[in-house]
Amino acid sequence: MSYKDIHNYDDIIDLPHHVSKVHPQMSLYDRAAQFAPFAALTGHKEAVNEKGRLTQPEKILDENLKVILNAKLQNILENIKEHPIVTITFFQEDKMKDGGQYVTVTGHVKKIDEYEKVLVMKNGTIIKICDIYEID
């Protein structure tokens, strides 16, 4: 590197900053935005996270478990006026991919809708009877 290369701008280094009379000055916020990172692959991170999210298949109940669950549901139905407290584990289907997850809720049963085939908890949780895996 020569002396000339180092001192190429000596003639303008001390001049005042130029301010355009035609274009308004850009705000610091807008200037910073020019240098902010951008997502070249929009949605890529979400897609990777979704693919990595685990689901599990629904377990098939054998006839013995179905008989036990039906007896427990009948017991709840007979005592529905007392709004019994139960712990129910049920399968919740995933809306985005195959499978789902098992969810356990504890609370007061509000009603069993035999027509819709659902169990309604006092907190508003609605559970399809066919998705129930266990009742305690």
Side-chain angles (χ1 to χ4, degrees):
M1 193 178 261
S2 71
Y3 176 82
K4 184 180 177 192
D5 291 337
I6 295 173
H7 297 282
N8 260 350
Y9 300 103
D10 282 351
D11 58 333
I12 62 169
I13 197 74
D14 293 322
L15 292 177
H17 176 72
H18 172 74
V19 178
S20 174
K21 294 177 180 159
V22 179
H23 302 289
Q25 193 166 2
M26 187 181 288
S27 72
L28 288 177
Y29 179 80
D30 290 337
R31 288 192 60 174
Q34 291 180 332
F35 301 100
F38 68 99
L41 300 172
T42 304
H44 180 262
K45 181 178 179 183
E46 291 81 9
V48 169
N49 288 342
E50 177 61 28
K51 191 72 172 174
R53 192 171 53 81
L54 298 177
T55 59
Q56 52 188 205
E58 186 173 8
K59 300 172 186 173
I60 306 299
L61 296 176
D62 65 21
E63 290 305 314
N64 291 334
L65 285 175
K66 287 181 182 180
V67 169
I68 293 168
L69 283 177
N70 283 336
K72 289 181 179 182
L73 285 168
Q74 188 62 39
N75 187 25
I76 293 169
L77 193 55
E78 290 169 2
N79 297 298
I80 201 71
K81 289 182 181 178
E82 288 86 37
H83 301 291
I85 297 176
V86 295
T87 299
I88 299 177
T89 302
F90 64 98
F91 184 75
Q92 189 173 52
E93 189 174 335
D94 194 295
K95 292 179 172 75
M96 303 292 282
K97 58 202 298 189
D98 288 341
Q101 63 181 347
Y102 280 90
V103 178
T104 301
V105 295
T106 299
H108 293 273
V109 177
K110 182 177 179 181
K111 70 176 183 175
I112 294 178
D113 187 331
E114 295 180 75
Y115 180 73
E116 294 289 330
K117 295 184 173 35
V118 294
L119 186 140
V120 181
M121 304 293 281
K122 267 193 158 180
N123 67 4
T125 304
I126 299 173
I127 304 167
K128 293 182 198 174
I129 290 175
C130 64
D131 291 340
I132 295 175
Y133 181 72
E134 186 175 36
I135 300 174
D136 289 324

